[in-house]
Amino acid sequence: MIILGIETSTRTGSVAIVEEEKIIAEYTLNIKETHTSRLMPAIDHILKDAQLTIHQMDAVAVSLGPGSFTGLRIGVATAKGLCLALRKPLIGIPTLDAFAHNICYTSHLICPLLDARREEVYTAIYRYRLPIGRHELEKLTDDMVLPLEELLSQIDHSTIFVGDVFDGYRSLVEKEMQGKASFAPPNLSLPRAANVAVLGLRKLKSDEESDLREIAPLYVRRPEAEVKWKEKHQK
């Protein structure tokens, strides 16, 4: 089986093609250009470089969020459109689940962090089930959006933090964790479409494809525009 993976939850756009457990190709671009203008060209580019066609994809896996509301809408809408046109299965993968898979072979907790703005982060906490080499991550919490200080107050074990929000938060993490925190290197600190595709393939093999009519982004909280509209009209 060959899976196309799409990841647009942050400004880092990523697409990948995975066949079974082999990554055929992955394209990642961490720039400010919108996903609207670069997602479809990226898909076209990676297919051409891999000498494949979109019709050879057995399914599409897409990152559902949490993350950028606009990015998630673009990614999910593109994936749904492709699957409707091709009559292929669609598999939705929670962004933090795929992100946590950047880290492997550890007995520490794993905590992916995405910037949620408003001085908050999107996060969840994971650990590998024993034996660690089985690659089975256990999700210990639901997806959360909360201030980093509140998150850190809930963690009392050695933890690997993975994410691209450390410029403003690293000193706080180090202070609050008191030697129990470590940080993923830059090459592991961005969401990857290859992880989305690999997890999508596992779900497809387990007959867990998503319902095209019901699949939607996982926002975790309401979009800011909706919050402001309700605040304005409730006065």
Side-chain angles (χ1 to χ4, degrees), residues 115-134:
D115 187 6
R117 302 184 179 181
R118 307 182 200 170
E119 298 185 351
E120 294 182 324
V121 294
Y122 295 117
T123 188
I125 299 173
Y126 302 79
R127 69 179 174 195
Y128 276 96
R129 294 175 179 172
L130 297 175
I132 292 173
R134 293 176 62 188

Side-chain angles (χ1 to χ4, degrees), residues 37-69:
S37 62
R38 59 186 166 114
L39 178 55
M40 286 305 298
I43 293 172
D44 182 61
H45 177 72
I46 200 171
L47 287 168
K48 286 180 178 178
D49 282 355
Q51 298 182 350
L52 295 167
T53 70
I54 192 66
H55 297 281
Q56 290 176 273
M57 301 299 104
D58 292 297
V60 176
V62 64
S63 179
L64 293 179
S68 162
F69 296 144

